[in-house]
Amino acid sequence: MEAHERILVAIDTADTKAATSLAQRVAGVVGGIKLGLEFFNATGPEGVRAVVAGKPLFLDLKYHDIPNTVAGAVRSVVRACRPSILNVHAAGGRAMMQAAVAANQETADAIGITPPSLIAVTVLTSLDDADLDSIGQYRPIGDQVVRLARLAQEAGCDGAVCSPREITAIRAACGDGFQLVVPGIRPTSSAADDQKRTLTPAEAVAAGADYLVIGRPITQAPDPVAAATAIADEIRASSAAA
Ligand code: C5P
């Protein structure tokens, strides 16, 4: 994969015009666009289609419901938005993930596209050990993350969203073919914002990340194209040196 193809730019806004203009500017220098709940709930599939305009899309909607409902959501969204990557919460359980995997494959076959990668969220990075305890989940967090990643893989999911500090453990548990999509990335020159445990793009790729979800270091940069290009250069230089 080319260095720039690993970059998924997170466009976090409810404004279709702003999102479209940014997506158009960076389209040639990143691998794809990540849109999430804020944008989808404001604009629906129509807004999503306007923004991505044929670019690979990671649609970050994190489904978590009974299997029948999640299967229906996957069918609807694959038809309406044709994402390259979509996700569910692994905590929804094996049957829910299996239903999502089956619905994803059937819908892709029916409309004649390559099935989107269906990846799992393990433990939200906003939760700590005390939070897990309060919702009655197994601790420590690192063990729970690996347990849910393995469950997602057994259920047929293609990969997981994970924080930089979880890459090594999930890669070791789930092997090379399991796609790891990693937010919490900060290039050497950028501010951490509200991200607490970050890795640089090159460090994350060296640790085993497949895709990097990068928002503000690109979207809030004075020149988003230059920022994305510098990130791709940083990844390329470090892979060449390795
Ligand atoms: O601006 P920034 O690079 O921090 O954006 C990261 C993106 O990844 C945001 O859309 C954020 O919601 C998302 N994300 C994250 N941490 C997670 C999961 C998703 O930052 N654990």
Side-chain angles (χ1 to χ4, degrees):
M1 196 180 343
E2 293 285 327
H4 76 276
E5 289 173 330
R6 296 187 184 276
I7 302 172
L8 304 176
V9 59
I11 301 186
D12 290 310
T13 170
D15 179 345
T16 313
K17 252 177 137 176
T20 306
S21 129
L22 187 65
Q24 280 171 354
R25 285 181 74 187
V26 298
V29 292
V30 300
I33 310 289
K34 190 205 85 147
L35 295 171
L37 287 164
E38 180 180 3
F39 188 79
F40 188 81
N41 282 293
T43 73
E46 204 177 318
V48 170
R49 288 193 296 265
V51 169
V52 298
K55 236 7 232 174
L57 165 69
F58 171 19
L59 196 52
D60 182 17
L61 301 179
K62 300 186 179 72
Y63 295 134
H64 187 172
D65 208 315
I66 61 171
N68 187 55
T69 300
V70 168
V74 168
R75 279 195 293 273
S76 295
V77 90
V78 169
R79 280 184 185 277
C81 299
R82 302 192 172 197
S84 298
I85 306 176
L86 75 165
N87 58 3
V88 297
H89 270 284
R94 187 188 302 271
M96 186 204 79
M97 288 189 278
Q98 287 171 333
V101 168
N104 185 41
Q105 182 73 53
E106 278 158 25
T107 311
D109 289 347
I111 60 177
I113 59 169
T114 306
S117 287
L118 183 69
I119 65 175
V121 176
T122 59
V123 178
L124 292 171
T125 49
S126 51
L127 302 178
D128 62 16
D129 276 341
D131 293 313
L132 244 56
D133 199 37
S134 72
I135 56 172
Q137 281 196 12
Y138 179 79
R139 292 177 300 153
I141 275 187
D143 293 356
Q144 179 70 351
V145 164
V146 167
R147 178 195 189 107
L148 287 173
R150 282 211 177 99
L151 180 65
Q153 188 174 36
E154 283 167 24
C157 288
D158 301 297
V161 186
C162 72
S163 85
R165 72 203 142 100
E166 296 161 354
I167 298 172
T168 309
I170 301 183
R171 184 58 76 215
C174 298
D176 280 345
F178 201 61
Q179 279 180 2
L180 298 183
V181 178
V182 183
I185 301 296
R186 287 295 177 266
T188 331
S189 57
S190 9
D193 302 310
D194 54 357
Q195 297 283 12
K196 292 200 176 115
R197 293 178 202 81
T198 62
L199 284 186
T200 68
E203 286 167 343
V205 171
D210 294 296
Y211 293 99
L212 310 176
V213 174
I214 307 177
R216 288 160 290 178
I218 296 174
T219 60
Q220 305 298 312
D223 182 346
V225 172
T229 306
I231 292 170
D233 289 345
E234 190 179 326
I235 299 169
R236 199 174 299 111
S238 111
S239 332

